[in-house]
Amino acid sequence: MTGPVGRPARPVGMGSLCVLLASVLWGTTGTAATFAPGVGPLAIGAVAMGLGGLLQAAVAAPRIAGEASALRERRGVVLLGALAVGVYPLAFYSSMHLAGVAAGTVVSIGSAPLASALVERVVDKRRLTRRWTAAAVLGLSGTALLCAAEAVAAADEHTGARSAGSTVLGVGLGLVAGFTYALYSWAAHRLIRRGISSRAAMGAVFGVGGLLLMPVLLATGGPLLDSWSNTAVGAYMSLVPMFLGYVLFGWGLAHVPASTATTLSLLESAVAAVLAVLVVGERIPAPGWIGIALVVCCLAVLTMPTRRPAVREAVHDGPASPGPAGLPYREYHASTPLSEEARDGLVGGAGGG
């Protein structure tokens, strides 16, 4: 099925689904890390994103080689995305370590849509649609409510166990993680929009980012080899959430804008919070569950189909009805490009207005 301007509607929906599936996988990382308590957050981040990124580059090596000239022409975007990939896991896992699994995830992922929208607005001059704005308000309200509920619960139940200073530092690192997540999402999407395949774009960005993380892994990754459970956690983090998750995310970025993808990935914070309750034993007060419900509403707003206005075509043998400037209706509409936002809205995909 195609939209009225010839852009496939189904790939947009599939792109959103790929991002949502990736978000579910990412939501398991904080809980998985708790099964290796002797491994520090820097080592967890380096093994997850570092090895996962190198594996992506290895699998995508033929595509990267075939599109090497195009990647070299845009090496600035590749390097910017790779630098963000190198910083993100160190900030993200440190944030969870200092502020708690649920709160660290919520701050990191919840701040990404605003950062992504800011990057797109400043660099790409992209107009923010009403649908995205409504979804972002719901999602950010939900993440803020969940974060506040977690903070209050931690203060009531674990007084002194987690100092205010460490919580504030964890929140700050979460904001850094959110910005770098938005930045490498934008970089990958920009490469894809410039004609580079998603496998080559993600493989290049994450491969170089993985190389940047190798010194950190060498310096801090010793405990990963201390026990089979630690090694299993490292292998799971590299192969499932990072490798498979970012393959899905790359497919999603080929069909939806980065601001939409980062907003859809708010599902990760809800998944992380639920797993923190069911597996880790953290408690979420009633306001936190309301926040999770708001995140779900945000996802519903972004993914629900919109009515696609029918495009009239002259099918009779007589003269076509005129459009502006005297052009036949069909010729005028075929020669008038729509903005990316308008196309998103017409095909009913995530991010449409």
Side-chain angles (χ1 to χ4, degrees):
M1 184 174 67
T2 61
V5 293
R7 181 179 173 183
R10 182 172 299 172
V12 177
M14 287 301 297
S16 298
L17 179 61
C18 286
V19 174
L20 291 175
L21 290 175
S23 301
V24 172
L25 296 180
W26 297 336
T28 67
T29 57
T31 297
T34 63
F35 288 95
V39 182
L42 298 182
I44 289 289
V47 72
M49 210 76 146
L51 294 185
L54 292 178
L55 184 57
Q56 278 205 60
V59 171
R63 290 288 184 90
I64 294 174
E67 301 178 49
S69 60
L71 289 169
R72 279 195 297 269
E73 289 176 4
R74 295 165 177 83
R75 57 185 175 273
V77 177
V78 173
L79 292 176
L80 181 62
L83 181 61
V85 167
V87 173
Y88 169 75
L90 308 182
F92 178 58
Y93 289 100
S94 296
S95 174
M96 286 194 294
H97 178 74
L98 293 170
V101 172
T105 304
V106 164
V107 173
S108 299
I109 306 305
S111 61
L114 284 182
S116 182
L118 180 63
V119 171
E120 289 186 352
R121 188 73 181 92
V122 172
V123 180
D124 298 332
K125 310 302 181 186
R126 182 180 176 84
R127 182 180 59 85
L128 302 180
T129 63
R130 289 188 298 272
R131 173 186 279 210
W132 182 90
T133 302
V137 168
L138 285 172
L140 293 174
S141 298
T143 53
L145 191 58
L146 177 56
C147 185
E150 284 287 306
V152 171
D156 290 343
E157 298 175 15
H158 305 288
T159 303
R162 185 178 295 141
S163 70
S166 66
T167 301
V168 170
L169 180 58
V171 169
L173 288 171
L175 294 175
V176 172
F179 177 74
T180 50
Y181 170 39
L183 195 58
Y184 69 68
S185 300
W186 171 84
H189 180 71
R190 189 175 183 86
L191 292 172
I192 293 169
R193 294 289 295 178
R194 295 299 184 271
I196 297 173
S197 68
S198 64
R199 287 179 60 184
M202 297 295 285
V205 169
F206 280 78
V208 177
L211 287 175
L212 295 177
L213 286 165
M214 286 302 100
V216 179
L217 180 59
L218 291 175
T220 63
L224 287 164
L225 303 178
D226 287 347
S227 67
W228 284 109
S229 61
N230 290 355
T231 303
V233 168
Y236 170 79
M237 301 278 273
S238 302
L239 296 175
V240 181
M242 295 303 134
F243 173 66
L244 179 57
Y246 278 102
V247 168
L248 290 169
F249 190 64
W251 289 343
L253 283 176
H255 301 294
V256 298
S259 57
T260 296
T262 53
T263 306
L264 286 169
S265 66
L266 288 172
L267 178 63
E268 177 184 350
S269 61
V271 172
V274 171
L275 289 178
V277 171
L278 297 179
V279 180
V280 181
E282 294 185 7
R283 293 182 59 187
I284 298 180
W289 290 108
I290 296 174
I292 291 176
L294 289 176
V295 171
V296 173
C297 290
C298 154
L299 302 177
V301 169
L302 276 179
T303 56
M304 73 171 64
T306 56
R307 294 179 59 187
R308 294 187 295 273
V311 173
R312 301 182 320 188
E313 284 197 30
V315 294
H316 52 77
D317 294 331
S321 57
L327 288 174
Y329 190 91
R330 183 189 301 144
E331 181 182 345
Y332 170 74
H333 283 270
S335 63
T336 305
L338 291 177
S339 67
E340 185 173 312
E341 293 80 1
R343 292 196 304 268
D344 286 344
L346 286 174
V347 299

